Amino acid sequence: MSADAPFLLACRREKAPFTPIWIMRQAGRYLPQYRAVREKFSFLELCKTPEAAAEVTVQPIDLIGVDAAILFADILLILEPLDLGLSFTPGDGPSLARPIRTPEDVAKMPRPDVRDALSYVGDTIREVRRRLAGRVPLIGFAGAPFTLASYAIEGGGSRNYIETKKFLLSHPEAWSDLMGRLVDVTVDYLTAQVEAGAQALQIFDSWIGHVGPDDYRASVLPHMRDLFGRLPRDVPVIHFGTGTAGLLELMAEGGGDVIGLDWRVRLAEGWARVGHDRAIQGNLDPAILYAPPSVIRAKVKALLSEADGRPGHIVNLGHGVLPDTPVDGVRCLVDTVHELSA
Ligand code: CP3
């Protein structure tokens, strides 16, 4: 396959036969077929079992008809060889038993060979490519350094990211050291994903919207530029965040062939602000998938008219699909995007 897959054409801002769509968290709990596989493994075991991870990666291609697959893995896997004590507890989400709290904690972090430690991800990618047999492209991914640092410092999810911000503001040198170490392992990890067969990459900066523009410029942007500058040049890279309406120009300065938007900003406005020399991804509210088909149709129509027929739009939600989303709503969205954009 095929550099002319609609998803890859859109990443390069070339004209596609229809607007491609994929959905963040498309391989997940809203699908009964995912839950059936998941019953047999813990979440981490599933990530580390290439046959099973490949199976759930491909499920939404067969069941929903999306135009790209995304590797089944997690942004936090890379924290495991950093020895932070990663675990996932059902209901509570991820937690890190040994969070980073002091500059000394950063200085004594190990410098693992993540290609080796996460070699199961390469095995999954090769198995997915075999199963896809060229039907759609495969997206690899990693967390952005701020979002990874927030988990490493908070020890899990957070409401206000106060430990992370306290660290960033109180220990700027150790913060920069931590961000640099996270960029180093992420570059190795994503390079290995591309070598194994990933045909595009997405950087998830899920929680960056908690940072104001001045702190972004001083404490995040240099690391994003470093990261994007060191990624393989032969695949398109999507730069995604949520709550980023105050940061879009800075995110574009950071890098990415495609900028991912959430629903809190109009697509036309967001695209104009990042510049029409980038492709755009998004930006439907995951809540519309619970609405009747007529509402989904109206939302898709409005979104496509915001994009105004300009090449380089990839439809997605503005954040992941929620676990109790009706499968029929997801199917309706994909079919409607294909129908109305063809
Ligand atoms: O389908 C896909 O999108 C591919 C797989 C994928 C997962 N996580 C699987 C997963 C991807 C791309 C991610 C990225 C991820 N992981 C992000 C960035 C995207 C975002 O949502 O902002 C973040 C912040 C994480 C961290 C994470 N992983 C959290 C907070 C949780 C718990 C919350 C939850 O939904 O349970 C996870 C667990 C997780 N990652 C699940 C899945 C399918 C649920 C695990 C389960 O099956 O019980």
Side-chain angles (χ1 to χ4, degrees):
M1 203 221 43
S2 80
D4 58 2
F7 167 77
L8 292 174
L9 290 171
C11 287
R12 298 195 301 265
R13 287 182 299 113
E14 292 170 26
K15 211 171 153 39
F18 53 85
T19 304
I21 173 169
W22 69 280
I23 297 171
M24 286 183 277
R25 293 282 175 98
Q26 65 190 18
R29 282 168 295 186
Y30 77 100
L31 281 177
Q33 292 86 350
Y34 169 82
R35 295 197 300 269
V37 177
R38 176 71 169 77
E39 260 178 27
K40 301 183 223 150
F41 303 92
S42 73
F43 176 65
L44 271 176
E45 277 167 2
L46 179 51
C47 291
K48 294 178 184 183
T49 308
E51 283 285 327
E55 180 182 347
V56 299
T57 301
V58 176
Q59 282 177 347
I61 314 309
D62 297 332
L63 297 167
I64 307 290
V66 285
D67 300 304
I70 181 157
L71 167 70
F72 189 82
D74 197 88
I75 64 165
L76 302 179
L77 296 177
I78 203 164
L79 299 182
E80 207 173 38
L82 294 174
D83 203 27
L84 300 175
L86 174 65
S87 63
F88 288 87
T89 352
D92 292 344
S95 82
L96 287 314
R98 294 179 290 280
I100 301 279
R101 283 295 158 82
T102 65
E104 295 71 45
D105 291 340
V106 178
K108 57 175 206 257
M109 280 171 81
R111 292 194 182 269
D113 178 347
V114 290
R115 284 170 175 268
D116 186 46
L118 301 177
S119 64
Y120 57 86
V121 171
D123 296 337
T124 300
I125 289 173
R126 283 181 284 270
E127 178 60 19
V128 171
R129 287 292 304 271
R130 200 182 64 74
R131 291 181 186 223
L132 286 175
R135 282 178 290 160
V136 296
L138 173 63
I139 305 168
F141 70 91
F146 173 84
T147 291
L148 291 178
S150 80
Y151 281 100
I153 294 172
E154 304 287 340
S158 176
R159 188 184 289 272
N160 49 25
Y161 294 89
I162 195 61
E163 294 298 332
T164 309
K165 292 181 179 188
K166 214 162 86 185
F167 198 105
L168 177 160
L169 295 168
S170 311
H171 309 294
E173 279 177 19
W175 170 261
S176 182
D177 184 13
L178 174 61
M179 292 286 277
R181 287 166 180 263
L182 292 170
V183 167
D184 288 345
V185 286
T186 302
V187 168
D188 285 352
Y189 180 45
L190 290 174
T191 303
Q193 289 187 28
V194 171
E195 286 169 6
Q199 293 152 293
L201 297 172
Q202 176 155 318
I203 306 297
F204 284 93
D205 214 350
S206 302
W207 312 130
I208 195 60
H210 289 267
V211 175
D214 291 343
D215 287 327
Y216 188 96
R217 182 174 286 291
S219 307
V220 179
L221 181 60
H223 303 285
M224 296 307 280
R225 294 183 61 92
D226 184 30
L227 171 65
F228 282 100
R230 291 163 61 192
L231 291 178
R233 300 201 185 277
D234 43 340
V235 301
V237 186
I238 305 163
H239 182 177
F240 164 78
T242 72
T244 54
L247 297 173
L248 289 176
E249 293 83 356
L250 287 163
M251 278 177 72
E253 216 178 307
D257 304 289
V258 184
I259 304 293
L261 302 179
D262 79 6
W263 60 92
R264 297 169 184 89
V265 60
R266 278 185 184 286
L267 187 104
E269 182 204 325
W271 204 347
R273 284 175 52 200
V274 303
H276 293 130
D277 61 339
R278 310 294 179 100
I280 208 84
Q281 178 174 283
N283 68 338
L284 295 165
D285 187 334
I288 71 158
L289 300 175
Y290 298 79
S294 59
V295 174
I296 296 178
R297 195 176 179 85
K299 294 290 187 186
V300 169
K301 243 187 189 159
L303 178 66
L304 293 174
S305 84
E306 296 259 337
D308 200 21
R310 184 180 281 117
H313 179 210
I314 299 152
V315 175
N316 204 319
L317 303 177
H319 206 170
V321 61
L322 296 164
D324 63 350
T325 300
V327 178
D328 284 344
V330 182
R331 273 208 199 94
C332 172
L333 170 65
V334 172
D335 292 346
T336 306
V337 168
H338 288 157
E339 180 202 325
L340 296 182
S341 66

